[in-house]
Structures are given as structure tokens and as C-alpha cells.
């Protein structure tokens, strides 16, 4: 009450004051806050992109995140505009842009604007630091209002965090997302959500529109920037990035604990010891108190990512590292044979229906039957070379770039290309035993003390030799192939992205190779630009042989590690200290045949 | 006592405004939120004296099938002597009487003085003195991100209603409006958008680039997408409004090549006859580079440069013509002379892709006394040149002719038995009649199994994506080598008339090669406005599957179905070329006849139908707007579907949609 | 409280020195973020009947006692055998309807659980505020908050304080008392039963059901002031169950008077909204004596706007003998007032 009275008086006094000046006397603090906001908007507006399909057929929004033109938007925006698009910036200039990578499940796409190397770009924020009630700006091109490429700026608060939104069809799952009351409307899709300081905290992609058709009704949803960070390098690699599953599903039991209710026996997590009814304590370092939290965490990491998991089995706590499996079969990720799966039935009363629509309206599943391989029709002549079509990739051109960048580290080691003869390494293992590896084209051998292990290469099955090493012999053979023949010999050879080594180590770039069903992942330290190790898996759903390098020494001009540390199934197998190494050039006979071949 | 303290503190406060900013660095978030709240309330208190309540009495209940609100609305005093500006939306129902209630409770009868159709504003006058006019915030002070308060006076309360937001963008809707995320709706249309100091930035209106009528943009109410017309701009034209002069958007009269607003350069395709552009001497092929000193490189920029200009405004336009620069001035107009196409008087022979490789365009039928007939052409002659450009197909000839006007002369060359003849013709108007007799075009016999994969005959199909269904009829002798006419049947409310229609049309379809597409309204009771999307998609699907001539797609409706047929035709002009309506007059404002998307009409009605008089007026209006329109009166016929004779006539009319 | 406000206010407007001197009292107001953390634990999500024919099966409520009394809106969600209530921290309980007052659109639930730790609103501590006041809205709208996720929070200001009853025929809900209209999109599916607070956490009102304004054809975002609900909530929690019965419809009111009873012949009512023009006035009728003339346009009957002949008939029909009848008519451009008395 007193408050009200007092308010009235203020007004009265002021109306008095108006006689002299016809504006309100406003506290400078208010002006300054306003000025700060205006300044922030002016600073970040130039990073906002208005995306148009050619001929202004469709439209959406995006945001620049690097000076050389990389920009984020929604997958469901790019899927409707094609491999190349037109992007307007608020300086009035229209740029060509090309698709780079897509994450259909997370509804994220990375594109690259062309024509400048000094684009204004947004600073990435930390969406885990957000609190409900924080102010947030949304910017973009709702209802295609930005005819002069000036974005629409709306201002509101964070209404909720770590929200989970069920997928529409197989894709477009909004997990761990940010809910805002900032007005999000059709066309805001792909546009940035900024915090009060003007840092990018999310990509707007959805709203609860059921009430009034295609108009904001108080709830908009943004994909958190921290989720996107996990995918960023995969996207830069021009890939169609898949999300992940653990191989186990969870439920809330009567005590409200989150426990395993279903587990795949071929899954790595099963081999690590997780069983039905075990309690999930924490996952990726976040403690788990609800099924949604579990889903949220799972959904913010790409396929293959290695994560720590803490579970409790009969009171006993176990911490393990597990590499996540793909959420979709590769057939699902390629358009022609894509099956649309039904949405999982939510199990508890406390749930939501997947009723939300993405703000650019079109349900991509229906409108864009073949949206992974955009129409090549719209390639502008001068930029054609920036788009290379390849199954499994949004734009393979960018993968080749990342391969080149990553593989420069190999040149450091010297030229192995001529050393295609027999390789032999010898030295001692910790236990003091002597060892010798022999890698020939006919077969692979290892002697440790009196024990001998052999893996023939006559087409017979690959075996776990030596036992419990995960196939160390074959792994070293793949190393030889990788160093001597490079991408020429493998049936698949591509840049995967980056990840923390072994789930907790330094950031490494990952190259994946495939040959006769044997998959290897090659790790390169991003910071030290060094080849630091690799994993080789004889066949899917068995534990892989993990080899890490330590130290470095030179044998006739070629750098090799001092030590190979070999692990398998979360256990150390052995570490080999290399003392003598012999890398033979091609034997004369075969070299003659070589000549004949030429 | 309390009061005293407060007055003191207040003076301190006012003084403290002069203090340096160092003071505020210390202010906590909580305090800031509090101070901002106080600032909102002051701003409202300051403007509230200029905000009036408007009530209307009588008027239409429906406007363009949107139920109009009857609630009180808002206006803003702009002069001491009783002028009040408001949103045109508030008068959409053409009320019989308007009442204004001032903040002090006094009531006045108000008169509508004038309307601004460009920015959707209405000026009212009441016989009152000493109103407190709103004070305008200078446009140059507007900043994206600043506070913006949307005020209205529709609730019965001392205070105006308030919504607080920020300025979202400037120069929206072709430079007309400032955009805000404050909640804007019928609750405050006509009210002010106010800055934190209580100055009026603009007057709230619904707006949308899509529509131009009073209700366009209403669908976005409270969405965080709101618009206000800057008060400075309003005051700049206030005298013209006070003088009772309605204001209209200014038109140049040009169309551009390639309808790509953002991608394509503003290269002039058509210069409308009698338009300011023509008077200024602009020519097809000119590229506009500058308007009023604003350099333009994209079509969309031209719209920005001209969008906020009014009829009567003069603009300077610079174009490049064959790498010469030409500078001109023109005075924009409210309305362009209705477009009217010239007419040569032939029906072209239908040769899909002209695969026989014959030169030019063959004559299938000659209109009696048409320019072509007078020039001595005969059927099966082949027109190979028209005004010294070579003619390769019917579409090209049509375009050449459509770019000319009736009574203009033209030279054409035609072949007869390989002998070329050159003749002069004086082009005519497209006749408003249907040939009494017209042989059907030759439909080649089926000689390929390609068509067999398609559904033939009469069939019904559900379209789950839309929860809709349609029935269709494809002539049993369908042949993909021939291009068919597509008739979209729009059934009247409560009755699809499927059986009856099929019975009457089946022979006509066989004879003249017509495919029927008959969508069904989701509610059989009647069509809703947005069902056009479904029909559009169905037509496009048919265009993909079947061999259809895009110049011969027409909608056909009877009675209440006709209303939706008109709506469809005007909404999807890129797709639909003809409208044949029985017993349903056309209501509401008409869009003009667009040279790029021409429409032809055929109207049938019984003289005993009590809609008949209105129906005749429809024909008159359409003809005034230069839409080719044939009207057929059925003697002693009531409000029922036409008998077979008149239906056959519709068939003949449809068969002439490709006339040149 | 009063003094706090005053000092707070003063500090914000006096120069630095004073400001610092007052810091303690400054600290007593909190940011909206602090408020949100304070309010969230008092909100609950309610799950009950529905889930079919577009009826949502979820809603919102707020705790009003340490014993687990929950105030919420009276809706279809509640007519289920078992109602599940989920607290802010994810704890889940069964609850039963203790009582309801449909006239207020109010129901009170009781948790089926003894001695559990609960934070709650003190409904005695409520505020009353004017337009422009900043508010926070808490609700389980669209049921986006699951498990132990806190409910959604919207920000906005009070747009208006108005009265539903003054706008007869505009709204179709039983409640016809005063309401707060807000400029946030608060009234969404599942949001009814949520609360509005000031940004420093004072309880203001309960968010109502989704509602269309029949006159402007727009959705209204409104809430019912706690002041209106307080007594009923107390009654029900104290166990005086209030049976809920529908209140009589407007339409059931008998039409007692017709224009002719006053000597008024109106123009024929042909359109949906025929303006209420007087066609003719019967000689020496009451209307004639009062000075009404033909072509007068009737605009108000006792301050109710008359938009058409139809509304005029309703307005006159509602009169009772002995009432004073004040008409305002438009004659040319003048508004003329006419007084009469309603006779037997």
C-alpha cells in the first residue's frame, strides 16, 4: 500500500515538473543501463546472418563465429535452402555461403560465408554458467522482416535450463536446451541467443507454438552453445555428425534413483561391467538425478566420444570410461534409405508430448525427403570447387582441409613411403623380458622371452594376438600401413573431429581409417602438433587395442617413440621400450616387380 | 510530514541527475530493476494525458472473413484543438459512429477526417479544446535496444495499459515503422510507443509486408513482433490529413526481371502504360542505380527507397541504359492505369515442345473480325516473326503481344505453304465473349505407355499431411504428348456435388482435354481462408505428374464455392490463369490485373437468381479493371448450377485461355 | 516494510555518500534471480485427468501451508481418482482435492504425506500493485519442466488492473472479479494455477485459465489477485468444504422491458450490428417527454455502451422498476443526455 501512495506522489510531483521540461527526469543509472544495452546490441548485430534460399524462397537466421566466415545455424534451415545459400549482413552486403557440416539430430549446421577474411564474429560464451532469470537477447530474421538485413532484436529472460524436448521423427532432438521468454518466432530459426554481455550462449531453434499456430506464445528453445562446442570440430570436418547412445537405457526406480533397466550385451559399457539395476551415479562428471538429466548428457556428445561414468553395483562404486555408440544406423544417416523411427514412449506421468515445432515451420522430414544431399543445382560457378559431394558427408571438401591440417604432424616424423619392406622393432618390456616385433607382408610376429605370437596375413581371420592385447600385432601392421601408404591403402580415410584423449587427456584431432573391417583411430595432439597414439579394433563390439606413444627417438632419420604403452579393456597390457628399429626398404624382388609394373 | 520528506528527496533526486556517472557504478542490480520500474511508471504517467479511449458503434461484423473486434480501442491526441490519430485497424468495421473518451472522463462524438493507407492510420476530430498533444521523440534518437513502452486505453482503468519491451529494429516495412518486442495487439493499436523519458516514438499499428489491408499483421499480435509509425513522420503529413486528404502509397509503375528480391539487380522488365515511370521515359532493360541519392543494387533496395513515399511525392531516379547514365524525376501516383493487353485474335496450335520442329506458331483458330483475321491469316498458317523478333513458340508470341496495348500497330510475318507473307495489323482488345462454336484441339492417340503408370479416370485420394482429401478426373484417353487444361473445382458449402459435376463434365473433359482436380474442404460446411495452401500444393503435384499447360489452369466455383474460387485466384496468381464462377458475385476490394500474371473471368448466372444484379455489377467492375470477362445470363434460371449448354460454354471458354 | 521502501528509494536518488550509508537497507531488496530461487521451491506441478481431445493432463499449483496445502485453479485436470503432485526437487506425492470454489476458479489440494519439508507462500503476505510494476510469472506451462526441473519463469509488467465483470459477455469464465492483466504470455496450457510475484518476491496473484477476449478476439494473459482468493483458501484449508455449483447464466435473466415500453420505435434490426437509431418516438410517450427524437443514436444506457439494437434490448431488458434510466444519444455531432425513470 504505502508503495502505491508513494508512487502516486512521484507522479504528481513530476507532472508539476513537466511544466518546465516535457520529459521525465530519469535516474542516470537507468540511462546508463540502457546505453550499455544499446552498445552491446550495436556490437553484436553485425555478427547476425539473414539466410535466404536463392530467390528468397525460404529464410532463416545464423550467426558468425569466426573471422574467416564460419557461421552457425539450424540444420532445419539449411536443409531447405541447399548446398549454397545467400547470407545478408547488417552492413547491407549479401554474401554467398556454402554448407560445411550438419548435425541433424541436434538441429545444428555449420556454414561458411565467402568473400572476406575479417568477418565480424560473436564470442562464444559458457552456457553452463547461466542462471534462470538472466537476461538474454535473441537476434534473427523472424517473418522475413529483415528486408534490409537488419536483424530483429528481442529481449527477455532465461525461463528454464537443461530442458529436454523429444525428437520430431528420428531427428531434431532438443536436449539440455535453454528455455527463454525472449520472443522467438518463425524465421528466428538458427539465429543467436546472446547473454547480457553479448556472448553467444545458444542457437534458437524451437518454440511452443501449439496455442496460436505459428506465433510465439512465451516459450522459445535454444540449443546450448556448450553442446555445439562438443560437435564443432566434427562439423568443421564437413561431416553428417551422429549423436550417441550408451548401449543401455535407464529408468527411475521407486526410490527415485536412476537405474539401468535395459542393456545391450555387445555394448562396451556391458563389457566394462555395467548391469541391469545398477545405479547411475554420475555421467560425464554431472551427477544424475533424473532420466531427463541422463538423456540430456547423452544428447550433447557426438558418437565415439569417450566419457567417464560412475555407477553403483550392490553398494560398490565403479568409475569407467566408455566410448559412446552411434544413435542411428549409418543407413539412417544417409537419406535415400532413411527410415523415420517413432518417438520413444515416455514412461512416467511427468512427461511432455513432442508437440513443439521449429520456428521455420516446415517439418523437414516431410518437406525435404532428400535433405542430406542438397540440390547441386544452386552451385554458383565461382564457388563450385568449395562443395564436394560424398556419402556420409555434408561437404567432403572441408574434410580434406582438416585431413591436410592434421596430417602435417606426420611430415615431422620423416618419409616412410619407401620403407615398405620388413619392419622389426626390438627392446625390453617393463618386466625385463626382451621382445621383438616382425612386420612382414606375409605375416606378423612377436617374440617376448620364450613366447611367440603370430598373425598370418594370408586372409585368415585376425585374432587377438598376443591374447588380451586387443590385437596388438595387427594394430602395429596398421601403423606400418598408415605411415608408409597413408590414405592410398585404406577403404575409408577421413577426419573425425577432436576429443580429449581417452576422455580426459589433451585435445587431439582424430583420423579414422577402415580396412577389411578393421577400424583404427589415429590421434594427433592439437597443441603440440604431434602424433600421439592410435586405437585399432579387429571387429566391431570387441575391445580395441589402445597404443600410446611416449618419448621420441630417431632411427636413420625417422622419428619413432621411445615407448609404446599398450592398453586394452581399461587394463594395461604392457609397455614396450624400443631399442633397435629396422625399417627395410622394398626387397629387391618386389622392387623389380614394381619396376615391371611401371 | 511524509509528503514533505518526499518532496525534498524528489528535489534531491532531480538534482542528482546532474551528478557524474561514478555514482551509478555502485548501484546494485536489484536497485537498478527498482529504478527502471519507477522510470516506466513515470513515462506512462507523462503520456497518459494524451491517450484517449475510442469506442465504435455499429459497423460490419466481418471484414474479409475476420471477425472484427468491437472492444474499445486507443487513440493519441496530436493537437490541442481536438485532432486524434489512431490505427486504421480500429475502424476496419466502418462503424456508424465513433466516440472518444478523454482521460478526464469527458466524452465526445468523433468524425473520421482522413485515412493514411500507406501507414494504416486514421485521423479523428472531436469538438474539444485544450487537449494535451503527445510530444514526439526525435527519430534520430531511436536506438535498437532502448526501452520501448506500448500503451493503450482499452481497459476500464485510470491508468493506460502498459507493455514494456525494447526497440527491435528501425525502418521496418519498407522504412515505414519502428519495430518493438513490447506486446502490441488490439488492446493498444492506435496507442503510443513511448521511450523511457515518456516521449512518443510512434503510434502502434498492425503491419505486414505480406498484406496491405487494415488487418494485415494482426495475426502477429502479442508475438513480440510489433510496429509503430514514427510520430515525427505522422506530424509531417498531419496537415494533409487535417485537410481531409487520404494518403496512399506512391507507385512508379515498373516491374523487374527475375522475381528475386534479394539476389537480382533492379533491371526493368515492364514499364506500365501511363505510369510515372513511362512519363519519365524509363525503358525496359534500364537498370535502376540510384533513388533520391540512395544507391541501389538489389530489387529489394528499390522497394526500401520508395516504400515510405506517398502518392504525390516526387522522387529522382537514376538508371543506366546501354552503359549511359540517365537521371529522371517522377511524381508517384496512388493508382496505375489498369493494365490492358493487346489481342491478335488467334488460338495457337498446341504442339508440346514443338517436337515436329516446325517454325513459328501455327494458327488453330481465328477470331472473326480479329486483327489477325482482317490481315488475311488462315488457320494452319504459321506466324514466324512479330515486330522484327523471331517467334519460336506460342508462349513467346503471347509475351510479345501482351507487352503491347490495344490499337497499337504491329508487323507480322507468316508462312503459308512455305511462302512468307508480311502484314501490318492494328491490335485490338481481348474480347469479352466466348466463341459460339469451337472445334476441340487435336489430341494425339496414345502411343506411349509412359502415362500408364499414372492414375487415370475418376479417383479419390487422401492427403494425410493436410487431413484433406480430393477427387479428380483424368480423361481415360489421357496422353502425355498433349498438354491438358486443369480445372480446379471449388465446391459450395455443405455439398461437394461430386456426382452431378462429374456427370456434366465428363464428356466435355474427354472432348477438350480437361483434367478435373476437386479438393474437399476440411469441414464440408465451408472453406476456411488458409485451405488455399493445400490446394496450391495439390495443383503443383498435378503439374509434376501430368502433362498440363500452365496457361490453361482455372478455378471453377458455384454459389458459396465461388467466393473461395475468387480468393484462390487472387492469392495464387502465379498459378491460376482463369476463373469461372456461377451464381456468386465478387465482394471486397479487387487487386489489379497484373501483366505478369494475367487472369481471365467467365461468369454465369440466372436472371431469376436474386444475386443477379450484384452479379452484373461484378462483371462491370472486372471489366473496368480490364480483366477480360465474359458474362452469360441464363434466362428464367434460379440459384442453381447452370444447365448443360452453359457448362459446355465454360468448356469452350477454358479452351481459349491460351488465346493471343 | 514501509520504511524500507522509503529508505531504499531515498538511497537510490541521493548522492553517493548517503547511498553508501544506507547499504544495509539496500541489501534488503533482492534481484529477480534471487527471487526466483526463493519462489521455485513453493511451486508444484500437478498431473491428473486429461491427455485426450487436446485436453492437457497437467497443471500448476503453489504451496500455501507447511502441511502441504496447495492452491490451484479448478479444472478438468483435478477430476481424476489420483492426482500426482511433483515438487520442485523432484519429490512426487499423491494429493486429493480438499475443496473448490468454481466462482473463483479455485481449488485447494492436500498432499497425501505427513511431516515432509515444504517451503510455502504466506497468503497473508501479499501485495497489491499498479500498471508498470515488474512481475515474475511461475508456471508449468507446456509441461516443459520435468522431474526435478523447476517450473518456467516469465518476466513482464502489470499491463492493467481491471474488472472482468465490467465487460459483460466478453469473457466466458465464472469468475467476474478484479484481475491483473500482464504483458507476458503467461496463460498457456498447464500454466493455470501458477503465480505472479513482484520481482522482489511478494505474492500477487494466481494465473488463470487460457481465455479469449470475445471483443478483441485475442488471448488474454491475466491472473486473479490473491486478495480475492485468500478467504476461500483459508475456509477450505480449515476444512469448511465449499460445494461447487454453477452460477446462473446471463441468458436466464428475464427480459422485463422493451424499447416500446418507453415509447421508442427503433430502426429495424437487420444487420448483426444495427446501430441503435431511434426510428420514431411515440407522441407524448415517456421518451417523447424526456426529449428523445427520431434519428437519435443511442450510445449509452446507464454507462453501458450500446453497440447495436441487440445490445440495447438486452440493456433495457435488464432494468428493474424504479431504476433511474440515463441515456446518452448522439444527435448530429452532439452527445445529449436524457434521464427517465423506469415505471411499473
Amino acid at each position: 500500500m504505502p508503495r502505491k501512495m508513494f508512487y502516486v506522489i512521484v507522479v504528481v510531483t513530476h507532472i508539476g515538473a513537466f511544466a518546465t521540461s516535457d520529459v521525465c527526469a530519469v535516474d542516470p543509472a537507468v540511462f546508463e543501463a540502457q546505453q550499455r544495452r544499446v552498445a552491446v546490441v550495436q556490437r553484436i548485430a553485425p555478427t547476425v546472418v539473414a539466410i535466404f534460399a536463392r530467390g528468397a524462397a525460404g529464410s532463416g537466421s545464423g550467426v558468425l563465429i569466426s573471422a574467416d566466415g564460419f557461421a552457425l545455424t539450424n540444420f532445419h534451415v539449411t536443409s531447405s535452402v541447399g548446398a549454397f545459400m545467400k547470407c545478408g549482413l547488417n552492413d547491407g552486403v549479401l554474401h554467398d555461403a556454402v554448407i560445411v557440416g550438419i548435425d541433424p539430430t541436434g538441429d545444428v549446421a555449420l556454414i561458411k560465408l565467402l568473400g572476406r577474411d575479417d568477418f565480424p564474429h560473436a564470442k562464444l560464451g559458457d552456457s553452463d554458467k547461466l542462471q534462470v532469470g538472466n537476461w538474454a537477447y535473441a537476434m534473427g530474421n523472424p517473418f522475413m522482416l529483415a528486408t534490409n538485413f537488419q536483424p530483429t532484436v528481442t529481449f527477455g529472460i532465461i525461463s528454464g535450463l537443461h530442458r529436454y524436448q523429444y525428437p520430431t521423427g528420428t531427428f531434431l532432438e532438443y536436449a539440455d536446451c535453454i528455455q527463454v521468454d525472449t520472443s522467438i518466432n518463425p524465421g528466428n530459426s538458427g539465429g543467436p541467443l546472446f547473454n547480457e554481455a553479448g556472448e553467444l550462449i545458444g542457437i534458437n531453434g524451437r518454440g511452443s507454438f501449439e496455442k496460436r499456430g505459428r506465433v510465439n506464445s512465451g516459450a522459445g528453445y535454444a540449443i546450448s552453445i556448450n553442446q555445439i562446442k562438443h560437435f564443432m570440430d566434427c562439423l568443421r570436418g564437413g561431416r553428417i555428425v551422429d549423436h550417441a547412445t550408451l548401449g543401455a537405457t535407464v529408468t527411475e526406480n521407486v526410490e527415485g534413483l536412476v537405474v539401468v533397466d535395459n542393456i545391450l550385451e555387445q555394448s562396451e559399457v556391458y563389457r566394462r561391467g555395467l548391469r541391469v539395476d545398477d545405479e547411475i551415479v554420475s555421467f560425464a562428471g554431472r551427477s544424475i538425478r533424473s532420466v531427463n538429466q541422463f538423456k540430456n548428457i547423452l544428447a550433447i556428445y557426438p558418437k565415439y566420444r569417450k566419457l567417464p561414468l560412475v555407477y553403483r553395483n550392490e553398494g560398490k562404486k565403479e568409475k569407467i570410461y566408455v566410448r559412446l555408440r552411434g544413435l542411428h544406423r549409418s543407413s539412417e544417416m544417409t537419406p535415400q534409405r532413411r527410415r523415420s523411427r517413432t518417438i520413444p514412449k515416455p514412461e512416467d506421468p511427468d512427461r511432455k508430448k513432442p508437440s513443439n515445432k521449429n520456428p521455420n515451420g516446415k517439418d523437414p522430414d516431410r518437406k525435404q525427403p532428400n535433405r542430406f544431399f542438397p540440390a547441386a543445382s544452386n552451385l554458383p560457378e565461382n564457388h563450385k570447387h568449395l562443395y564436394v559431394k560424398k556419402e556420409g558427408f555434408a561437404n567432403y571438401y572441408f574434410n580434406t582441409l582438416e585431413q591436410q591440417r592434421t596430417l602435417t604432424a606426420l611430415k615431422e616424423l620423416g618419409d616412410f613411403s619407401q620403407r615398405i619392406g620388413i619392419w622389426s622393432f626390438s627392446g625390453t618390456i617393463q618386466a625385463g623380458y626382451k621382445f621383438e616385433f616382425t612386420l612382414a607382408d606375409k605375416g606378423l610376429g612377436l617374440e617376448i622371452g620364450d613366447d611367440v605370437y603370430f598373425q598370418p596375413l594370408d586372409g585368415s581371420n585376425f585374432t587377438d594376438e598376443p591374447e588380451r592385447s586387443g590385437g596388438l600385432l595387427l594394430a602395429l601392421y596398421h601403423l606400418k600401413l598408415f605411415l608408409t601408404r597413408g590414405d592410398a591403402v585404406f577403404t575409408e580415410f577421413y577426419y573425425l573431429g577432436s576429443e580429449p584423449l581417452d576422455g580426459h587427456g589433451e585435445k587431439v584431432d582424430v583420423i579414422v581409417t577402415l580396412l577389411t573391417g578393421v577400424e583404427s583411430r589415429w590421434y594427433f595432439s592439437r597443441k603440440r602438433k604431434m602424433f600421439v597414439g592410435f586405437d585399432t579394433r579387429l571387429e566391431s563390439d570387441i575391445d580395441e587395442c589402445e597404443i600410446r606413444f611416449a618419448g621420441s627417438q630417431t632411427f636413420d632419420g625417422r622419428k619413432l617413440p621411445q615407448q609404446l604403452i599398450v592398453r586394452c579393456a581399461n587394463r594395461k597390457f604392457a609397455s614396450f621400450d624400443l631399442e633397435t628399429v629396422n625399417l627395410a626398404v622394398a626387397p629387391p624382388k618386389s622392387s623389380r616387380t614394381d619396376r615391371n609394373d611401371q | 510530514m511524509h509528503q514533505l520528506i518526499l518532496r525534498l528527496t524528489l528535489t534531491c533526486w532531480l538534482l542528482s541527475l546532474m551528478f557524474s556517472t561514478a555514482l551509478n557504478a555502485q548501484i546494485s542490480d536489484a536497485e537498478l530493476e527498482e529504478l527502471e520500474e519507477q522510470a516506466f511508471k513515470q513515462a506512462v504517467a507523462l503520456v497518459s494525458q494524451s491517450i484517449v479511449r475510442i469506442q465504435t458503434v455499429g459497423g460490419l461484423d466481418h471484414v474479409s472473413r475476420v471477425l472484427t473486434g468491437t472492444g474499445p480501442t486507443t487513440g493519441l491526441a496530436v493537437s490541442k484543438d481536438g485532432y486524434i490519430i489512431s490505427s486504421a485497424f480500429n475502424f476496419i468495421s466502418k462503424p456508424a459512429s465513433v466516440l472518444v473518451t478523454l482521460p478526464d472522463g469527458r466524452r465526445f462524438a468523433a468524425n473520421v477526417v482522413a485515412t493514411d493507407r500507406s501507414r494504416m492510420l486514421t485521423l479523428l476530430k472531436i469538438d474539444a479544446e485544450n487537449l494535451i498533444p503527445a510530444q514526439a521523440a526525435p527519430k534520430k534518437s531511436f536506438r535498437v535496444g532502448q526501452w520501448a513502452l506500448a500503451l493503450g486505453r482499452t481497459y476500464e482503468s485510470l491508468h493506460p495499459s502498459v507493455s514494456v519491451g525494447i526497440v527491435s529494429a528501425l525502418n521496418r516495412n519498407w522504412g515505414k515503422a519502428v519495430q518493438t518486442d513490447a506486446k502490441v495487439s488490439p488492446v493498444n493499436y492506435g496507442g503510443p510507443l513511448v521511450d523511457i523519458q515518456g516521449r512518443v516514438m510512434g503510434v502502434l499499428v498492425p503491419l505486414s509486408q505480406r498484406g496491405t489491408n487494415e488487418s494485415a499483421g494482426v495475426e502477429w499480435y502479442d508475438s513480440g513482433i510489433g510496429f509503430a509509425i514514427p510520430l515525427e513522420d505522422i506530424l509531417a503529413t498531419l496537415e494533409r490529413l487535417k485537410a481531409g486528404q487520404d494518403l496512399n502509397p506512391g507507385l512508379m509503375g515498373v516491374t523487374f526481371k527475375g522475381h528475386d528480391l534479394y539476389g537480382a539487380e533492379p533491371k526493368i522488365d515492364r514499364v506500365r502504360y501511363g505510369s510515372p515511370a513511362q512519363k519519365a521515359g524509363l525503358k525496359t532493360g534500364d537498370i535502376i542505380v540510384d533513388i533520391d541519392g540512395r544507391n541501389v543494387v538489389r530489387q529489394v533496395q528499390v522497394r526500401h527507397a520508395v516504400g515510405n513515399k506517398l502518392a504525390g511525392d516526387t522522387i529522382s531516379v537514376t538508371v543506366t541504359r546501354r552503359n549511359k547514365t540517365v537521371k529522371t524525376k517522377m511524381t508517384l501516383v496512388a493508382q496505375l492505369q489498369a493494365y490492358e493487353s493487346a489481342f491478335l485474335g488467334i488460338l495457337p496450335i498446341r504442339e508440346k515442345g514443338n517436337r515436329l520442329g516446325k517454325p513459328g506458331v501455327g494458327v488453330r483458330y481465328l477470331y472473326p473480325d480479329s486483327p489477325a483475321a482482317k490481315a488475311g491469316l488462315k488457320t494452319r498458317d504459321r506466324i514466324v516473326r512479330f515486330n522484327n523478333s523471331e517467334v519460336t513458340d506460342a508462349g513467346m508470341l503471347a509475351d510479345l503481344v501482351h507487352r503491347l496495348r490495344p490499337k497499337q500497330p504491329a508487323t507480322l510475318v507468316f508462312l503459308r505453304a512455305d511462302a512468307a507473307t508480311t502484314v501490318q495489323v492494328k491490335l485490338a482488345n481481348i474480347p469479352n465473349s466466348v466463341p459460339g462454336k469451337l472445334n476441340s484441339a487435336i489430341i494425339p492417340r496414345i502411343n506411349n505407355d509412359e502415362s500408364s503408370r499414372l492414375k487415370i479416370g475418376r479417383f479419390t485420394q487422401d492427403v494425410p499431411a493436410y487431413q484433406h482429401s480430393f477427387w479428380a478426373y483424368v480423361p481415360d484417353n489421357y496422353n502425355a504428348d498433349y498438354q491438358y487444361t486443369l480445372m480446379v473445382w471449388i465446391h459450395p458449402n455443405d455439398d461437394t456435388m461430386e456426382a452431378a459435376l462429374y456427370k456434366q463434365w465428363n464428356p466435355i473433359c474427354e472432348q477438350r482435354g480437361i483434367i478435373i482436380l476437386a479438393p474437399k474442404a476440411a469441414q464440408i460446411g465451408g472453406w476456411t481462408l488458409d485451405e488455399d495452401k493445400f490446394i496450391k500444393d495439390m495443383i503443383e503435384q498435378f503439374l509434376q505428374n501430368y502433362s498440363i499447360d500452365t496457361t490453361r489452369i482455372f478455378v471453377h466455383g458455384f454459389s458459396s464455392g465461388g467466393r473461395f474460387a475468387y480468393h484462390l485466384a487472387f492469392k495464387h496468381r502465379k498459378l491460376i490463369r482463369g476463373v469461372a464462377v456461377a451464381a456468386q458475385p465478387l465482394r471486397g476490394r479487387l487487386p489489379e490485373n497484373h501483366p505478369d500474371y494475367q487472369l481471365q473471368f467467365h461468369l454465369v448466372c440466372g436472371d431469376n437468381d436474386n444475386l443477379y444484379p450484384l452479379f452484373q455489377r461484378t462483371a462491370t467492375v472486372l471489366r473496368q479493371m480490364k480483366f477480360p470477362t465474359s458474362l452469360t445470363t441464363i434466362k428464367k434460371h434460379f440459384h442453381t448450377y447452370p444447365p448443360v449448354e452453359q457448362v459446355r460454354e465454360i468448356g469452350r471458354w477454358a479452351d481459349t485461355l491460351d488465346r493471343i | 516494510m514501509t520504511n524500507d521502501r522509503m529508505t531504499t528509494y531515498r538511497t537510490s536518488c541521493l548522492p553517493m555518500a548517503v547511498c553508501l550509508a544506507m547499504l544495509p537497507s539496500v541489501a534488503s531488496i533482492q534481484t529477480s534471480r534471487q527471487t526466483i530461487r526463493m519462489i521455485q521451491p513453493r511451486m508444484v506441478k500437478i498431473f491428473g485427468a486429461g491427455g485426450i481431445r487436446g485436453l492437457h493432463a497437467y497443471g500448476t499449483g503453489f504451496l500455501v501451508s507447511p502441511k502441504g496445502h496447495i492452491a490451484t485453479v479448478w479444472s478438468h485436470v483435478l477430476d481424476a481418482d489420483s492426482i500426482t503432485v511433483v515438487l520442485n526437487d523432484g519429490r512426487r506425492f499423491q494429493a486429493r482435492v480438499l475443496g473448490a470454489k468454481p466462482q473463483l476458479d479455485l481449488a485447494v489440494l492436500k498432499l497425501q504425506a505427513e511431516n515432509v519439508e515444504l517451503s510455502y507462500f504466506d497468503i497473508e503476505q501479499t501485495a497489491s500493485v499498479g500498471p508498470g510494476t515488474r512481475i515474475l510469472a511461475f508456471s508449468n506451462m507446456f509441461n516443459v519442466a520435468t522431474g526435478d526441473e523447476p517450473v518456467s519463469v516469465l518476466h513482464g509488467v502489470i499491463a492493467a488492473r481491471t474488472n472482468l465483470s465490467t465487460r459483460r459477455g466478453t469473457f466466458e469464465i465464472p469468475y467476474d472479479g478484479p484481475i491483473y492483466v500482464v504483458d507476458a504470455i503467461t496463460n498457456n496450457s498447464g500454466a493455470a494455477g501458477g503465480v505472479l510475484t513482484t520481482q522482489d518476491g511478494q505474492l500477487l496473484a494466481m494465473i488463470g485459465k487460457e481465455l479469449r477476449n470475445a471483443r478483441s478476439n485475442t488471448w488474454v494473459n491475466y491472473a486473479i489477485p490473491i486478495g480475492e482468493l485468500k478467504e476461500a483458501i483459508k475456509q477450505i484449508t480449515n476444512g469448511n468444504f465449499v460445494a461447487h455449483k454453477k452460477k446462473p447464466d446471463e441468458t436466464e435473466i428475464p427480459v422485463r422491458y422493451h424499447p416500446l415500453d418507453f415509447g421508442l420505435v427503433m430502426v429495424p434490426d437487420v444487420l448483426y450490428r444495427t446501430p441503435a437509431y431511434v426510428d420514431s418516438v411515440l407522441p407524448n410517450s415517456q421518451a417523447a417527454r424526456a426529449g428523445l427524437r427520431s434519428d437519435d443514436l443511442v450510445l449509452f444506457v446507464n454507462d453501458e455502451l450500446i453497440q447495436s439494437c441487440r445490445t440495447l434490448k438486452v440493456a433495457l431488458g435488464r432494468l428493474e422498476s424504479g431504476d433511474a434510466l440515463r441515456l446518452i444519444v448522439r444527435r448530429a455531432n452532439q452527445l445529449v443526455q436524457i434521464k427517465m425513470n423506469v415505471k411499473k
Side-chain angles (χ1 to χ4, degrees), chain C residues 308-324:
Chain C
S308 64
C309 290
R310 199 165 304 189
T311 41
L312 177 71
K313 289 185 188 116
V314 176
L316 293 181
R318 240 190 252 108
L319 294 168
E320 309 208 8
S321 65
D323 285 2

Side-chain angles (χ1 to χ4, degrees), chain A residues 1-3 6 27 131-135 156-157 159 161-163 165 179 181 208 210-212 217-219 221 252 289 292-293 348-352, chain C residues 2 5-6 9 12 33 36-37 47 92 128-129 134 141-155 185 187-189 198 202 210 219:
Chain A
M1 275 305 121
R3 185 188 213 176
F6 135 76
D27 191 297
Q131 289 175 16
V132 174
N134 282 135
W135 291 105
I157 64 166
S159 299
L161 290 163
H162 305 300
R163 299 299 201 205
Q165 298 279 297
Q179 181 196 349
D181 76 351
S208 292
E210 66 226 328
K211 176 178 181 181
R212 283 181 49 192
S217 37
Y221 305 95
E252 273 162 55
R289 294 184 313 281
N292 267 4
Q293 283 177 335
D348 57 343
D350 161 48
R351 73 169 109 127
K352 71 183 80 35
Chain C
T2 314
R5 291 252 154 272
M6 293 309 169
Y9 169 68
S12 62
R33 283 196 302 290
I36 289 166
R37 282 196 292 278
F47 300 91
R92 199 166 294 180
S128 166
V129 296
R134 278 182 154 169
M141 64 178 199
F142 303 120
N143 193 25
V144 282
T146 65
D148 63 350
E149 293 173 49
V151 295
S152 302
V153 187
L154 305 185
H155 85 292
I185 314 295
N187 297 50
N188 286 311
S189 58
T198 61
Q202 302 174 77
E210 291 179 273
W219 292 96

